[in-house]
């Protein structure tokens, strides 16, 4: 049976109230599908708010919907399971129903949440004979939590889900690879009825409905109808003992005779484990597993795998004998090579001493201080870093009251910077990050793309490591240093000397210097250094990715100040510059953003500086 499950679980919301057990519900259902029904690792797509990879968290609407793209590689499915545990809500203006990702906002559900219509369309594109959609969430205006808020379903919710099941069932998949496929049966399992709440069960650390759903799955019931009827009856009974009411219901098309897959037999499980070890080139361990499988059931494919394993083990044995014969000769050669490398090392050290001496002499010979925008290139770990000189000076920080798109936290005040500094010409790239940190956390991959999905703490660690490698005191800029360098002597909203012509997504003046949400067409980061730089040679100070600063976020001091470093404490760290998915007004020189220091996102990166 070809099968696939897409499971989403969200406890930790950015704007909405936190939930307690939604993530645990999704994880437990994934585990039950594996253990009781033989779902493989590549057949379950689990997205939760605690996933180690930022790309696998249901952090926004785009990532939830893009998860379904993986179904293309699976071919025509016999069974598709989709489950969501988290906040659901009704948009009070449109009356449409939404599932809420981590960053959902009650004031903008159409722009930040996933509508049931979008889920329906995603499912309709997947060639699956049988579909089961599990919704353990409420569908009204979000309150404090599922136990204390009035999470009631609007009248007609069941009829809406009946229509959704019918629309999916009557659709013809438009999948061009596998051809048309009619959804034969569709079942939508909802954890509560109209006017009720979906309660969470503190003693079981699950929602009531999912706790009983798991019991049915662990009993390996083989029909979706049996699983639902069990969970429904038990939920009604359990919730009643708490003096409350919760009645699950099911909407279906084509009946509920959806068969769940039979779990693999012991010998099939051993064979699958042996095959996985064989693919990992762990041949001795694979042989032990396949021998145990053959003992129970000597199938042809099992014997074929054993023959392949034995052939490779014999080759490895012969190779080992040859290697032992070469060992003595290799030891003699190694001593010769060691001496050669030692001579080469001494020669390199001598050359490096001479090079540094020449550099020091060159620096002493030049008594001219750098000018604004002068360029300095240093190579660190084989990667070139280009720096631009920002001289000491003073400027008006913040924005004038008449500036288009201005926010209240941008009060103008005079700031003096008593020391000049070298600022990195571009945002830190993925090539730079990987050469220092050895990994690449970015969602959009490319050596010359800005690194993103990095928290403020990640950036501080990078600064510490590159400082040790380079011998320089490399840091994140303060908020004042960032705006001073961005403006490069300008007083307008943009460092090109121009102001915004539009605050949202079609600003002609901003197009010259920034990657931003231009007409909604910029769907990713872009290689650094492609737009026009400012007067000091700094690229992408507007747009592409937000840039972390040293400061805690706080109100400006309106009186003149020197070398400000922000408040002594706070909850958020400052971000500047705007990103590829933001409106034009967020990319202004004076605009102030902020995030919690552990926060990471595919539109947040950073830039470096050092004071000589």
């Amino acid at each position: 049976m070809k099968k696939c499950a897409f499971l989403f679980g969200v406890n930790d919301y950015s704007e909405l109230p936190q939930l307690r057990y939604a993530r645990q519900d999704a994880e437990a259902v994934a585990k039950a599908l594996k253990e009781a029904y033989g779902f493989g690792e590549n057949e379950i797509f689990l997205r939760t708010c605690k996933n180690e990879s930022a790309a696998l968290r249901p952090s926004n609407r785009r990532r939830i919907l893009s998860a379904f793209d993986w179904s293309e590689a699976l071919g025509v499915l016999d069974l598709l399971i989709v489950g969501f545990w988290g906040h659901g809500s009704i948009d009070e203006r449109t009356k449409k129903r939404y599932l809420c990702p981590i960053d959902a906002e009650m004031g903008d559900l159409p722009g930040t949440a996933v509508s049931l219509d979008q889920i329906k369309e995603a499912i309709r594109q997947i060639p699956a004979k049988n579909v089961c959609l599990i919704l353990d969430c409420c569908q009204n205006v979000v309150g404090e939590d599922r136990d204390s808020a009035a999470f009631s379903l609007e009248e007609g919710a069941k009829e809406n889900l009946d229509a959704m099941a019918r629309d999916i069932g009557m659709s013809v998949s438009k999948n061009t690879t596998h051809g048309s496929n009619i959804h034969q049966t569709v079942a939508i399992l909802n954890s509560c009825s109209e006017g009720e709440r979906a309660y969470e069960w503190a003693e079981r650390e699950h929602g009531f409905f999912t706790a009983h759903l798991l019991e049915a799955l662990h009993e390996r019931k083989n029909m979706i109808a049996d699983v639902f009827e069990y969970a429904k009856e038990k939920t009604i009974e359990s919730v009643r003992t708490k003096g409350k009411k919760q009645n699950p219901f099911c909407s279906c098309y084509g009946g509920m005779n959806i068969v769940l897959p039979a779990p693999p037999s012991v010998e099939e499980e051993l064979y699958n484990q042996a095959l996985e070890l064989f693919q990992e080139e762990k041949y001795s361990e694979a042989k032990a597993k396949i021998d145990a499988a053959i003992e129970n059931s000597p199938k042809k494919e099992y014997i074929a795998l054993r023959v392949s394993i034995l052939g490779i083990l014999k080759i490895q044995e012969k190779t080992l004998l040859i290697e032992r014969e070469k060992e003595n000769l290799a030891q003699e050669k190694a001593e010769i090579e060691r001496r050669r490398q030692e001579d080469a090392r001494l020669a390199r050290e001598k050359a490096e001493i001479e090079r540094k001496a020449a550099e020091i002499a060159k620096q002493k010979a030049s008594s001219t201080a750098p000018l604004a925008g002068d360029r300095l290139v240093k190579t660190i770990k084989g990667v070139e870093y280009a720096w631009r000189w920002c001289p000491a000076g003073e400027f008006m920080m913040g924005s004038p009251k008449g500036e288009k798109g201005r926010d209240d936290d941008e009060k103008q005040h005079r700031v003096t910077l008593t020391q000049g500094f070298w600022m990195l010409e571009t945002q830190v790239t993925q090539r730079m990050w990987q050469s220092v940190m050895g990994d690449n956390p970015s969602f959009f991959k490319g050596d010359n793309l800005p690194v993103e999905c990095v928290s403020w703490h990640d950036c501080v660690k990078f600064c510490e490591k590159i400082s040790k490698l380079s011998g320089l005191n490399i840091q994140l800029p303060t908020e004042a240093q960032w705006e001073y360098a961005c403006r490069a002597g300008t007083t307008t909203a943009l460092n090109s000397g121009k102001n915004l012509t539009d605050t949202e997504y079609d600003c002609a003046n901003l197009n010259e210097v920034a990657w931003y949400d231009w007409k909604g067409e910029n769907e990713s980061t872009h290689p650094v250094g492609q737009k026009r730089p400012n007067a000091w040679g700094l690229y992408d100070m507007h747009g592409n990715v937000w840039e972390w600063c040293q400061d805690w976020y706080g109100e400006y001091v309106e009186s003149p100040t020197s070398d400000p470093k922000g408040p002594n404490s706070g909850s958020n760290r400052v971000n500047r510059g705007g990103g590829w998915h933001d409106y034009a007004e967020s990319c202004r020189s004076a605009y102030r953003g902020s995030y919690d220091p552990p926060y990471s996102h595919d539109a947040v990166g950073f830039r470096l500086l050092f004071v000589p």
Side-chain angles (χ1 to χ4, degrees):
M1 175 185 283
K2 284 192 175 181
K3 53 195 179 296
C4 180
F6 294 89
L7 309 176
F8 305 90
V10 184
N11 284 346
D12 305 329
Y13 283 90
S14 302
E15 302 290 339
L16 304 184
Q18 306 298 293
L19 296 177
R20 289 173 290 179
Y21 309 127
R23 173 177 59 82
Q24 294 91 317
D25 286 345
E27 292 170 345
V29 170
K31 183 178 180 182
L33 292 178
K34 291 177 185 177
E35 295 177 352
Y37 299 100
F39 276 68
E41 290 291 339
N42 62 346
E43 294 177 323
I44 292 183
F45 299 88
L46 180 63
R47 304 289 190 267
T48 74
C49 54
K50 290 298 183 182
N51 199 295
E52 293 181 1
S53 170
L56 300 183
R57 299 175 196 150
S59 57
N60 57 38
R61 176 175 60 185
R62 176 173 59 81
R63 284 192 177 159
I64 286 182
L65 293 175
S66 66
F68 292 97
D69 295 341
W70 288 98
S71 62
E72 173 74 15
L74 298 173
V76 178
L77 299 173
D78 295 296
L79 175 61
L80 170 66
I81 296 176
V82 179
F84 184 85
W85 292 263
H87 275 312
S89 189
I90 296 288
D91 183 68
E92 293 181 300
R93 293 166 295 179
T94 65
K95 303 304 180 184
K96 287 190 175 182
R97 299 153 59 85
Y98 290 89
L99 307 180
C100 298
I102 293 173
D103 63 354
E105 299 176 8
M106 284 304 300
D108 185 21
L109 287 175
T112 61
V114 182
S115 71
L116 288 189
D117 288 340
Q118 290 173 311
I119 293 293
K120 177 179 71 177
E121 290 306 315
I123 293 174
R124 289 175 68 175
Q125 303 308 311
I126 299 174
K129 298 176 183 178
N130 301 288
V131 178
C132 178
L133 175 60
I134 304 170
L135 297 175
D136 193 354
C137 57
C138 301
Q139 292 295 321
N140 71 332
V141 179
V142 173
E144 297 175 0
D145 60 53
R146 284 196 287 181
D147 277 347
S148 62
F151 278 92
S152 61
L153 293 168
E154 293 289 329
E155 286 294 332
K158 185 178 188 306
E159 288 77 6
N160 290 337
L161 290 181
D162 289 344
M164 180 175 176
R166 184 179 63 253
D167 289 346
I168 295 172
M170 296 180 68
S171 69
V172 177
S173 173
K174 298 178 182 178
N175 187 298
T176 57
T177 301
H178 305 292
S180 298
N181 183 73
I182 298 175
H183 300 96
Q184 298 171 355
T185 57
V186 181
I188 304 177
L189 314 186
N190 206 314
S191 61
C192 61
S193 296
E194 294 95 332
E196 297 175 352
R197 291 180 290 186
Y199 291 101
E200 292 191 305
W201 198 351
E203 294 88 343
R204 297 281 290 272
E205 296 186 350
H206 285 296
F208 275 89
F209 179 71
T210 298
H212 293 306
L213 189 75
L214 289 168
E215 292 171 1
L217 294 177
H218 287 305
E219 289 182 9
R220 298 188 175 180
K221 295 182 182 295
N222 65 348
M223 300 288 290
I224 287 292
D226 294 336
V227 171
F228 174 73
E229 287 303 321
Y230 177 92
K232 174 184 176 181
E233 293 178 8
K234 290 291 186 179
T235 299
I236 294 172
E237 179 182 344
S238 297
V239 174
R240 186 184 295 123
T241 63
K242 302 293 184 180
K244 300 174 182 179
K245 180 181 178 183
Q246 181 177 335
N247 294 283
F249 72 85
C250 176
S251 296
C252 62
Y253 170 85
M256 289 187 65
N257 56 335
I258 300 176
V259 179
L260 290 166
S265 64
V266 173
E267 63 271 13
E268 287 174 333
E269 187 66 30
L270 287 168
Y271 171 73
N272 291 334
Q273 292 173 7
L275 187 61
E276 184 175 341
L277 289 167
F278 179 79
Q279 292 168 343
E280 294 175 1
E281 300 183 1
K282 298 177 180 178
Y283 302 115
S284 297
E285 296 95 321
K287 180 179 178 298
K289 293 287 185 182
I290 199 63
D291 284 347
I294 291 172
E295 184 177 345
N296 291 326
S297 178
K299 294 182 180 179
K300 289 183 179 180
E301 61 265 33
Y302 297 6
I303 301 296
L305 180 58
R306 189 177 191 277
V307 170
S308 298
I309 293 171
L310 289 176
I312 292 174
L313 288 173
K314 286 180 180 179
I315 293 172
Q316 288 181 334
E317 183 178 356
K318 290 180 180 179
T319 302
L320 181 60
L321 291 174
I322 294 172
E323 291 299 323
R324 286 176 180 173
E325 292 175 359
K326 293 180 179 179
E327 187 174 343
N328 291 335
L329 179 61
Q331 289 178 352
E332 294 176 2
K333 290 183 177 180
E335 179 60 23
I336 296 173
E337 178 64 16
R338 187 193 65 77
R339 292 176 182 176
R340 186 192 67 77
Q341 290 182 358
E342 180 66 15
D343 291 341
R345 184 185 65 80
L346 293 173
R348 288 195 300 271
E349 289 181 355
K350 180 181 178 183
E352 180 65 13
I353 291 172
E354 292 174 349
R355 185 192 66 78
K356 288 183 178 180
E359 185 176 325
I360 292 171
K362 183 179 179 180
Q363 291 176 353
K364 289 182 177 179
S366 175
S367 59
T368 304
L371 300 175
D374 277 0
R375 195 169 189 259
L376 174 67
V377 177
K378 289 184 176 291
T379 300
I380 305 171
K381 291 278 287 186
V383 177
E384 285 192 352
Y385 290 70
W387 309 83
R388 294 289 185 168
W389 179 248
C390 303
E394 65 178 26
F395 74 111
M396 290 299 292
M397 189 172 182
S399 62
K401 292 183 178 180
E403 185 169 292
K404 186 177 291 188
R406 182 180 190 266
D407 278 346
D408 293 336
D409 62 350
E410 300 171 11
K411 296 176 182 177
Q412 275 196 316
H413 58 290
R414 186 167 298 280
V415 171
T416 300
L417 298 178
T418 60
Q419 290 182 299
F421 52 91
W422 292 98
M423 177 165 272
L424 194 62
E425 190 176 80
T426 67
Q427 294 157 342
V428 174
T429 65
Q430 294 176 30
R431 181 186 290 113
M432 294 172 181
W433 178 278
Q434 195 152 5
S435 70
V436 173
M437 305 300 283
D439 63 1
N440 186 355
S442 304
F443 179 75
F444 305 105
K445 303 295 185 185
D447 285 349
N448 208 36
L449 293 176
V451 67
E452 23 82 10
C453 289
V454 288
S455 69
W456 184 88
H457 298 298
D458 295 333
C459 298
V460 171
K461 289 179 182 177
F462 179 92
C463 291
E464 293 171 354
K465 286 193 175 184
I466 198 172
S467 294
K468 291 179 180 178
L469 291 169
S470 63
L472 303 170
N473 184 21
I474 295 176
Q475 308 171 33
L476 294 175
T478 65
E479 189 178 15
Q481 287 172 326
W482 190 97
E483 185 171 330
Y484 177 67
C486 174
R487 290 186 176 280
T490 62
T491 58
T492 50
L494 305 176
N495 61 24
S496 59
K498 299 179 181 180
N499 288 307
L500 297 183
T501 54
D502 188 282
T503 59
E504 294 186 353
Y505 53 74
D506 192 11
C507 178
N509 290 343
L510 184 58
N511 293 341
E512 301 172 358
V513 295
W515 298 110
Y516 70 109
D517 192 21
W518 187 75
K519 294 187 177 180
E521 295 176 2
N522 287 329
E523 291 296 327
S524 68
T525 57
H526 293 262
V528 299
Q530 291 188 330
K531 293 288 186 175
R532 198 176 83 185
N534 70 6
W536 291 350
L538 298 171
Y539 293 89
D540 298 314
M541 296 298 286
H542 300 301
N544 215 0
V545 291
W546 289 89
E547 298 177 21
W548 285 108
C549 294
Q550 288 188 33
D551 310 44
W552 290 107
Y553 175 84
E555 291 292 325
Y556 283 154
V557 177
E558 294 188 42
S559 58
T561 183
S562 295
D563 300 320
K565 295 185 177 180
N568 293 327
S569 62
S571 58
N572 286 359
R573 296 284 185 175
V574 173
N575 293 90
R576 285 303 204 107
W580 59 266
H581 68 339
D582 289 287
Y583 285 162
E585 65 181 10
S586 301
C587 299
R588 295 177 298 108
S589 299
Y591 188 85
R592 308 177 72 201
S594 68
Y595 291 116
D596 185 51
Y599 179 80
S600 64
H601 192 276
D602 58 16
V604 179
F606 66 113
R607 189 184 299 259
L608 306 171
L609 65 73
F610 69 92
V611 178

